[in-house]
Amino acid sequence: MSSTVSRRRFLKISAGTFGAAAAAGAAWHGAWPLAVAADGATQGVTTIPTFCEMCFWRCGGIAHLRDGKLWKFEGNPLDPQSMGRLCPRGTGAVGAHYDPDRLRQPLIRSSERGEEKWKTATWDEALAYIAERMNKIKAEHGPESVALLNHGFGQRFFQHVLKTWGVINIAGASYAQCRGARDVGYVLTYGAGVGSPEPTDIRSTDCLVLIGSHLGENMHNSQVQEFAQAIERKASVIVVDPRFSVAASKAKYWLPVKPGTDLALLLAWANLLVTEGRYDKAFVERYGHGFDKFVAEIKAYTPQWAAEQCDISAELIQAAAREFANHRPRAIIHPGRRVNWYGDDTQRSRAIALLNALLGNYGREGGMFVAQGVKVAPFGLPAYPKSDKPHADGSGADEFPFADEGITTSIRKATLTGKPYPIKGWFVYSSNLMQALPNERETIEAIRKLDLLVVCDTMPSEIAGWADVVLPDTTFLERHDELLTGYGRTGWISLRQPVVAPPHDQKPAWWIAKQLADKLGIGDCMPFKDLEEYLAKRITASGLSWEQLKRDGVIMGKHQPTTVEEGLELSFETPSGKVEFWSDQLAKAGFDPVPKYRRHPDAPPGHFRLITGRAPGHTFSRTQTNPLLHDLMPENEVWVHPETAASLGIRNREYVKLKNQDGVLSNRIRVKATQRIRKDTVYMVYGFGHGNRMLKRAYLRGASAGALNTHYATDPIMGATSIHTNFVSFVKEA
Ligand code: SF4
């Protein structure tokens, strides 16, 4: 049996696998056994476990085939992420397989970039074309001038092959456009990031505080299930959100703060806890670093002061703080996930981390447990060559001293400026950069400077519309992938295995990467016939049963203590070895050692702050054309307060357009006039308003929040780019 391992330790030892941050191998049956079996086994209902990638929560599910055809996808009861249930998107995975809009065969551009005109190609032609242009870039500028922009599980194979070839600039929007600031805020405070899934013991907590985190609309499956359990147990819920979210409807206290003032609220809460002595003194004395200096820094942030900033009453601020403080340590200020709001997000995340420290909830039941993983034997892949050049992806650079992953917009900037050296090729895997990155115009300008843009995806996203070569990936139901080594209360391993054959000439990411490696003359870096060989070797070498994993989809590790109550010894990998209420490393780098509040600009006259969020039936901009999920929610709406709507002469349900402060006009979007939002704020779900004509069902349905995000701030600590720094006015349809 494999031994367990903490997340921090695992990151250090995971060399020799595909992707240092997420572990081990994937297997390949060599064919599509269920769809092609000639012995009658395809008749009737067959079930095969695999794990979901309709989003990146990675729930274990069981695919059902009826007479050899994909029928339904349900939760795997053995799996800790799904606990036997999937969210609506996971159930809708069947629609991803049958979607008529999906990419079907390799395409090579036949006219100007962005005109969406291609000729079909064989895999051999498409990969030879890519290899030839990559080698040309390498000869002229070096391999560092090709960058990989990626997301999702299949990215590990491209990371491996491209790193072997000499690529060093790699970034995913999941970092600077999502969770990165949160993890850096926690690393600076506790010495470890939060990770995914967040180790929040919601199922046992007595009080959950959500700040701009709308669980239930944001459908992270196991977390939402635990949230429902907590509500059932009558745990106290406090929601901070300018919008009365579904979560707010379950709350004891709803704090509809003015957008952009969350940090003022957090600092006032910290002030109250300290002033009234409602914090865990034993935890702070034993594990805190710089607490006295922290107390002095937050002295001015009284609830009365915050009330003015946040536009809510001081009494509400105080009542909420006393509520969660009185439940300590069985209380959680949720660290959030997509936290790139205003450009000061690392400091806001640090303030959340420090409030949690005041509650003494680290490694405690009902608080934040310390997640455990499972160690799996490496395959023993070759090491990567070293480069003398600096990174152009912002990681480890002076520009963002605490960035510990690549930054998408830094790669874009290097492409635009040619500094520190030209970036001439982008390989984009499963990431619709047009909607994910701020300021679409900068992305288009950068693309115009490229000699090669490759997009590999299942769907024709907007970025695919600009590609020189488009490679059709299989959906997760049609492929093997790297093993999932999950971190949680108990570590686990999940297998992704093919359930059905792809309907056209789509190929799995591992196969594409392996073929590309052959074309680039580095085929030795994928030293196996297929992924089954790779996966089976790793599982067997770990003392685990390959047959069991294929049958169950999941193998649980041995439980290790994750809380003090279970015997966990706390330790912190910060410079002081303690929880850093005062950060010497931030001070040394010229940043505030304790978060400070700075007011964000108000909306110009006639404008409203645009805030964005998620819907339970869709993931980013990936699912709007899925026939099943499109039925659930075909387009987004713009939420506006009825009094605001009336003052503008706008009616509920009518279509309008939104124009932002830079004059960018959205596609038309329906008005939802509702008292569930502040009068100075409007809200929409992002991911809609697709402009790629190949997405027939989703084309121009709803408006794109990404396209309206032209004005953005960049977090100076780690490079996150904001999404809530735009103001819009309403334009009535003619
Ligand atoms: Fe799939 Fe939903 Fe789980 Fe995401 S949360 S992995 S979409 S079931």
Side-chain angles (χ1 to χ4, degrees):
M1 183 66 197
S2 62
S3 60
T4 56
V5 61
S6 76
R7 180 183 297 275
R8 274 173 285 169
R9 167 96 180 112
F10 176 75
L11 291 176
K12 289 179 184 167
I13 62 172
S14 57
T17 67
F18 289 119
W28 181 248
H29 290 303
W32 310 107
L34 290 165
V36 300
D39 60 2
T42 58
Q43 301 302 305
V45 175
T46 316
T47 57
I48 305 172
T50 191
F51 69 92
C52 179
E53 192 159 272
M54 292 300 287
C55 85
F56 302 100
W57 203 248
R58 300 157 184 172
C59 300
I62 298 178
H64 295 241
L65 293 103
R66 194 160 53 188
D67 299 339
K69 290 204 164 55
L70 182 63
W71 170 33
K72 62 179 179 178
F73 189 45
E74 296 184 333
N76 182 348
L78 300 175
D79 178 79
Q81 283 297 83
S82 73
M83 299 184 271
R85 295 175 179 175
L86 301 181
C87 84
R89 298 162 302 166
T91 307
V94 174
H97 169 69
Y98 290 114
D99 195 334
D101 282 357
R102 58 187 288 192
L103 295 165
R104 297 174 177 214
Q105 64 272 304
L107 303 170
I108 297 178
R109 184 168 58 82
S110 63
S111 96
E112 289 300 302
R113 277 208 184 112
E115 287 185 354
E116 299 179 16
K117 290 186 183 158
W118 296 275
K119 58 179 188 309
T120 57
T122 64
W123 279 99
D124 193 57
E125 287 165 349
L127 293 171
Y129 181 102
I130 295 167
E132 191 244 311
R133 273 157 185 74
M134 282 178 65
N135 282 329
K136 188 159 182 285
I137 293 170
K138 188 178 199 172
E140 290 172 7
H141 306 282
E144 300 85 356
S145 288
V146 173
L148 173 63
L149 297 130
N150 57 192
H151 199 189
F153 238 65
Q155 70 184 15
R156 289 162 174 75
F157 307 114
F158 293 108
Q159 286 174 358
H160 173 66
V161 168
L162 294 184
K163 279 183 185 175
T164 304
W165 186 75
V167 167
I168 61 170
N169 296 307
I170 299 174
S174 53
Y175 185 68
Q177 283 72 47
C178 190
R179 56 167 178 80
R182 175 200 72 180
D183 285 322
V184 172
Y186 266 75
V187 167
L188 287 165
T189 308
Y190 290 95
V194 176
S196 176
E198 292 83 25
T200 46
D201 192 12
I202 295 174
R203 75 178 183 200
S204 304
T205 197
D206 291 337
C207 183
L208 177 65
V209 183
L210 299 172
I211 301 176
S213 179
H214 41 260
L215 284 185
E217 290 158 278
N218 171 8
M219 194 55 75
H220 287 138
N221 188 0
S222 51
Q223 208 166 77
V224 174
Q225 291 189 48
E226 290 199 20
F227 184 40
Q229 290 165 7
I231 293 165
E232 183 85 20
R233 286 190 294 102
K234 308 256 182 288
S236 200
V237 177
I238 296 168
V239 171
V240 179
D241 200 321
R243 187 176 66 92
F244 191 74
S245 60
V246 172
S249 72
K250 312 295 176 199
K252 181 168 181 180
Y253 296 107
W254 172 45
L255 287 74
V257 295
K258 180 177 166 143
T261 64
D262 313 77
L263 183 52
L265 175 73
L266 293 164
L267 293 170
W269 274 351
N271 175 302
L272 182 143
L273 264 54
V274 170
T275 309
E276 297 188 359
R278 295 177 197 263
Y279 67 96
D280 189 330
K281 295 188 185 76
F283 180 86
V284 169
E285 268 168 33
R286 181 162 178 198
Y287 298 112
H289 169 77
F291 184 68
D292 292 345
K293 289 197 278 187
F294 165 76
V295 171
E297 283 287 320
I298 63 167
K299 208 167 182 172
Y301 298 126
T302 63
Q304 291 72 22
W305 164 84
E308 235 175 82
Q309 302 298 321
C310 303
D311 193 25
I312 56 174
S313 74
E315 290 71 31
L316 182 56
I317 293 173
Q318 289 163 326
R322 288 168 189 149
E323 176 77 21
F324 67 73
N326 291 346
H327 286 295
R328 69 183 184 279
R330 302 179 75 88
I332 306 165
I333 318 288
H334 196 292
R337 193 170 176 98
R338 193 210 56 165
V339 298
N340 58 318
W341 301 345
Y342 301 108
D344 57 359
D345 308 301
T346 302
Q347 290 287 20
R348 190 184 66 254
S349 295
R350 214 171 109 64
I352 290 174
L354 290 170
L355 262 178
N356 280 315
L358 289 173
L359 298 175
N361 69 9
Y362 191 86
R364 298 298 300 270
E365 271 178 19
M368 305 279 293
F369 61 88
V370 177
Q372 294 292 323
V374 180
K375 185 180 167 191
V376 182
F379 187 87
L381 297 170
Y384 304 126
K386 296 254 183 294
S387 170
D388 295 335
K389 290 190 180 175
H391 279 250
D393 62 10
S395 61
D398 290 343
E399 191 182 7
F400 303 117
F402 294 96
D404 50 11
E405 291 185 31
I407 298 160
T408 48
T409 43
S410 290
I411 290 176
R412 184 176 73 180
K413 190 170 154 199
T415 309
L416 283 166
T417 62
K419 292 179 183 155
Y421 45 82
I423 299 290
K424 303 305 284 183
W426 286 6
F427 198 109
V428 180
Y429 178 73
S430 196
S431 184
N432 186 9
L433 299 179
M434 290 305 181
Q435 293 228 14
L437 302 192
N439 203 324
E440 184 183 276
R441 196 187 314 167
E442 281 182 58
T443 306
I444 292 170
E445 279 172 26
I447 288 172
R448 291 193 198 284
K449 291 190 176 284
L450 295 174
D451 293 341
L452 176 66
L453 173 57
V454 180
V455 171
C456 180
D457 211 329
T458 56
M459 302 303 300
S461 60
E462 279 75 46
I463 187 75
W466 290 86
D468 302 323
V469 186
V470 180
L471 304 176
D473 193 9
T474 50
T475 70
F476 78 89
L477 290 164
E478 302 151 1
R479 67 179 193 240
H480 279 106
D481 249 324
E482 181 62 291
L483 289 170
L484 165 62
T485 49
Y487 287 83
R489 293 182 177 94
T490 301
W492 77 97
I493 302 165
S494 291
L495 174 67
R496 178 169 287 153
Q497 54 187 337
V499 170
V500 284
H504 304 285
D505 197 14
Q506 298 96 346
K507 298 286 184 191
W510 72 263
W511 182 93
I512 302 170
K514 187 165 161 52
Q515 300 303 310
L516 180 62
D518 282 343
K519 287 270 185 288
L520 291 168
I522 51 171
D524 289 354
C525 75
M526 300 282 267
F528 42 80
K529 173 170 59 73
D530 53 39
L531 269 185
E532 179 151 19
E533 181 187 326
Y534 169 88
L535 286 176
K537 180 180 167 188
R538 292 195 59 200
I539 290 295
T540 309
S542 305
L544 299 168
S545 163
W546 176 235
E547 290 308 315
Q548 182 194 347
L549 186 58
K550 286 199 290 185
R551 184 193 68 218
D552 295 344
V554 180
I555 294 178
M556 297 303 296
K558 188 166 166 253
H559 182 73
Q560 296 286 313
T562 59
T563 61
V564 169
E565 288 83 349
E566 290 181 335
L568 178 75
E569 289 282 332
L570 297 186
S571 65
F572 304 97
E573 290 186 14
T574 54
S576 63
K578 296 193 164 189
V579 179
E580 303 218 330
F581 284 90
W582 174 276
S583 171
D584 296 305
Q585 49 179 339
L586 277 176
K588 199 168 157 206
F591 299 110
D592 298 327
V594 174
K596 269 190 173 49
Y597 177 70
R598 292 178 181 84
R599 199 181 165 97
H600 292 290
D602 288 331
H607 286 70
F608 305 89
R609 188 180 293 272
L610 173 63
I611 61 171
T612 64
R614 301 187 62 177
H618 287 288
T619 301
F620 314 143
S621 61
R622 300 166 62 87
T623 54
Q624 285 73 22
T625 196
N626 177 311
L628 302 177
L629 301 179
H630 178 89
D631 266 4
L632 279 182
M633 184 179 179
E635 60 188 38
N636 56 355
E637 301 169 313
V638 56
W639 291 36
V640 54
H641 193 278
E643 287 181 29
T644 305
S647 73
L648 298 168
I650 292 169
R651 294 185 320 278
N652 189 33
R653 305 294 294 155
E654 83 168 294
Y655 279 106
V656 296
K657 291 185 176 178
L658 301 174
K659 189 193 248 185
N660 79 359
Q661 70 289 323
D662 296 327
V664 172
L665 193 64
S666 76
N667 186 44
R668 70 179 202 159
I669 181 168
R670 232 188 241 285
V671 170
K672 176 182 173 121
T674 172
Q675 292 182 339
R676 292 171 57 191
I677 191 159
R678 286 175 59 96
K679 293 174 191 167
D680 57 2
T681 306
V682 297
Y683 166 82
M684 63 200 279
V685 170
Y686 60 86
F688 285 83
H690 281 283
N692 188 321
R693 290 179 195 84
M694 292 162 76
L695 292 167
K696 296 189 191 65
R697 203 173 292 101
Y699 181 62
L700 297 186
R701 296 298 302 269
S704 164
L708 290 166
N709 185 21
T710 54
H711 176 73
Y712 64 98
T714 305
D715 190 318
I717 296 177
M718 51 62 69
T721 59
S722 67
I723 193 168
H724 288 170
T725 42
N726 288 267
F727 303 106
V728 294
S729 60
F730 288 80
V731 177
K732 289 188 59 101
E733 284 222 292

